[in-house]
Amino acid sequence: MSAAATTLKGTQPAPTNEGLEKSRSPLVEALLRLRKNKTAIAGLIIILIFLCMALFAPWLAPHDPIKQSLYSKLKPPIWDAKGTWEYVLGTDDFGRDLLSRIIYGARISMVVGVVSVSISLFFGTIAGAFAGFYGGKIDNVIMRFMDLLLAFPSILLAIVIVAFLGPSLRNAMIAIGVVSIPRYARLVRGSVLEEYSKDYVQAARALGARDGRLIFLHILPNCLAPLIVQTTLGFASAILEAAALSFLGLGAQPPTPEWGAMLANGRALILRAWWAVTFPGLMILFSVLGFNLLGDGLRDALDPRLRD
């Protein structure tokens, strides 16, 4: 009797680790894999540091970034023999505090990244989705135009666009966004072509779903993984290209504290004031490195073929 009762009351076995892993959503699995990637975490930390600099620049900067002082020009950093604590990273040839300009430069670089990537992501996604979904003449027209844009070096095409629109930070962001559109268009087109032949798309079409609903509610959500990776890497490219345009005098205009413009201003002082070019250059290096490391980690985490 007791044995039968025990059999009837039998307890279910505790869930194993394998069962828990199978029950996790793809997003949770991707986050767990990303957490194990040390280089991606390092990139994320670097990006968070720059984001904090951008968001809290008015409170972090010890001086006005555009205020000039001829009595304080070319002051060295504090660890130099003549350095003072008032200017931790020294000053430029106009007596402006370099640390304050670098902190405010992080705000400009983040804005450039957000605006230019948003432009290229929006138009590239729309163009690639329509090209992959409709195919035929629409595909040929859109992709031949993208091939035309890709035929020019990106920085050269950006210079041409800025020269036509006029030198300014706003026009530089537009130019960077335009030259990056083909990257997103080609990526989305390939993903849409892959998803279009799957059963869930055909089932939605059989149920009467219109083209817009199929594209934006069914297909594009399944193309997010490569888009997230490309967007992260796009931030690095945007910061680098914006710095290059500002260095050439086509981006941010004086006295805007932009890292590329600071490099251009300090290149003539490299032998007398090494700090005027070293610190802005390091900011560009680390910001680009942070986005590249995070982008590589996201690619590994979101790729289902790399699952353990």
Side-chain angles (χ1 to χ4, degrees):
M1 181 71 178
S2 59
T6 304
T7 302
L8 292 174
K9 292 181 179 180
T11 58
Q12 297 182 351
T16 62
N17 291 334
E18 182 178 357
L20 290 175
E21 291 180 357
K22 290 182 179 180
S23 63
R24 292 172 182 159
S25 66
L27 177 61
V28 173
E29 290 184 359
L31 292 175
L32 291 175
R33 288 196 299 273
L34 182 65
R35 189 178 63 178
K36 297 177 182 178
N37 192 322
K38 295 182 179 180
T39 57
I41 297 300
L44 179 61
I45 292 173
I46 293 173
I47 294 171
L48 289 176
I49 291 173
F50 282 107
L51 284 176
C52 289
M53 289 171 57
L55 291 173
F56 303 108
W59 296 275
L60 294 176
H63 298 278
D64 187 336
I66 61 175
K67 183 178 180 181
Q68 302 180 11
S69 175
L70 297 180
Y71 296 101
S72 303
K73 58 187 279 187
L74 297 181
K75 291 284 186 181
I78 57 173
W79 53 84
D80 193 279
K82 300 179 182 179
T84 62
W85 282 99
E86 185 178 3
Y87 303 109
V88 178
L89 296 184
T91 61
D92 61 9
D93 54 337
F94 291 99
R96 297 172 296 196
D97 179 48
L98 203 60
L99 176 60
S100 300
R101 290 179 63 79
I102 284 175
I103 292 174
Y104 273 90
R107 170 175 289 186
I108 294 175
S109 293
M110 294 299 110
V111 170
V112 168
V114 170
V115 174
S116 58
V117 169
S118 298
I119 293 172
S120 54
L121 176 64
F122 177 78
F123 290 103
T125 300
I126 297 297
F130 278 84
F133 186 84
Y134 290 107
K137 293 183 179 179
I138 295 178
D139 184 20
N140 283 329
V141 171
I142 293 176
M143 297 317 297
R144 296 302 74 78
F145 180 70
M146 298 302 161
D147 291 340
L148 180 63
L149 293 179
L150 287 173
F152 296 91
S154 59
I155 187 64
L156 178 60
L157 182 57
I159 290 173
V160 172
I161 295 174
V162 174
F164 177 77
L165 296 176
S168 70
L169 185 61
R170 182 191 64 183
N171 293 338
M173 290 187 290
I174 294 173
I176 295 169
V178 170
V179 299
S180 300
I181 289 175
R183 304 175 191 173
Y184 296 89
R186 291 168 68 93
L187 180 65
V188 173
R189 175 182 177 272
S191 299
V192 169
L193 286 174
E194 182 180 354
E195 295 294 325
Y196 184 79
S197 59
K198 293 186 176 179
D199 293 338
Y200 73 90
V201 177
Q202 305 305 322
R205 182 180 290 278
L207 291 173
R210 296 184 177 181
D211 291 349
R213 183 179 182 87
L214 284 173
I215 294 173
F216 296 105
L217 295 183
H218 294 278
I219 296 178
L220 283 182
N222 289 286
C223 304
L224 286 180
L227 270 179
I228 291 172
V229 176
Q230 181 60 46
T231 300
T232 306
L233 298 174
F235 271 90
S237 299
I239 292 172
L240 199 58
E241 290 172 1
L245 290 175
S246 296
F247 183 84
L248 296 173
L250 298 173
Q253 302 298 302
T256 305
E258 200 276 335
W259 295 335
M262 293 168 66
L263 279 176
N265 182 65
R267 61 180 172 177
L269 309 169
I270 190 169
L271 297 179
R272 294 185 339 178
W274 56 269
W275 54 89
V277 293
T278 301
F279 295 120
L282 288 175
M283 294 302 103
I284 297 173
L285 185 151
F286 282 113
S287 61
V288 172
L289 177 64
F291 281 106
N292 281 334
L293 291 178
L294 181 59
D296 289 340
L298 286 172
R299 180 191 59 197
D300 296 340
L302 295 172
D303 192 343
R305 293 170 297 181
L306 299 177
R307 293 179 182 176
D308 297 333

